[in-house]
Amino acid sequence: MERTFAIIKPDAVAAGHIGDIVKIIESNGFTILAMKKIRMTDAAARNFYIVHREKKFYESLVKFMTEGPCVVMALERENAIRTWRSIMGDTNPATATEGTIRKLYGTNIERNATHGSDAPGTAADELHFFFSTADLL
């Protein structure tokens, strides 16, 4: 079994898609180990996305991720990282495969409904950024 981290971003939360996305997650064999609705602070968003701090989109990403609530989740299943990334679809909803979350609920490359870890090390770091060890038992 493998764990990954996922976010339902503020655009999808505001549009009322939490339930739709959770249904997709569960129908694809994931166990949701932990889930909470939060409102990211500016400091938390800056720290979480620090890997992008030198990129042009960093400031707009921080602004977007703090504009409203999001849902953070710890997911588990075999091949969780690869499977979640496949279900999310391409970062740009315009080029995402039909039926993927980003194609269904994203509006552009930044407001793309979801986030997912890209590797086991990243998943571990991201999970522990938002959840305690006790949350992940």
Side-chain angles (χ1 to χ4, degrees), residues 18-89:
I18 296 170
D20 299 325
I21 294 170
V22 167
K23 186 173 183 173
I24 291 168
I25 290 167
E26 292 181 327
S27 70
N28 278 277
F30 285 94
T31 298
I32 299 173
L33 299 173
M35 178 170 69
K36 58 186 171 182
K37 189 175 186 182
I38 64 166
R39 178 114 187 215
M40 243 189 261
T41 64
D42 184 79
R46 288 182 184 285
N47 194 20
F48 184 74
Y49 287 107
I50 199 162
V51 67
H52 298 304
R53 73 183 172 277
E54 301 300 324
K55 297 181 179 160
K56 293 188 318 186
F57 62 83
Y58 179 69
E59 291 299 326
S60 63
L61 176 60
V62 169
K63 183 178 179 190
F64 165 55
M65 291 303 295
T66 59
E67 76 181 24
C70 60
V71 175
V72 293
M73 294 173 286
L75 306 178
E76 184 177 69
R77 65 160 275 166
E78 288 187 28
N79 300 309
I81 295 167
R82 185 179 72 224
T83 303
W84 175 237
R85 294 185 68 77
S86 176
I87 292 165
M88 284 193 306

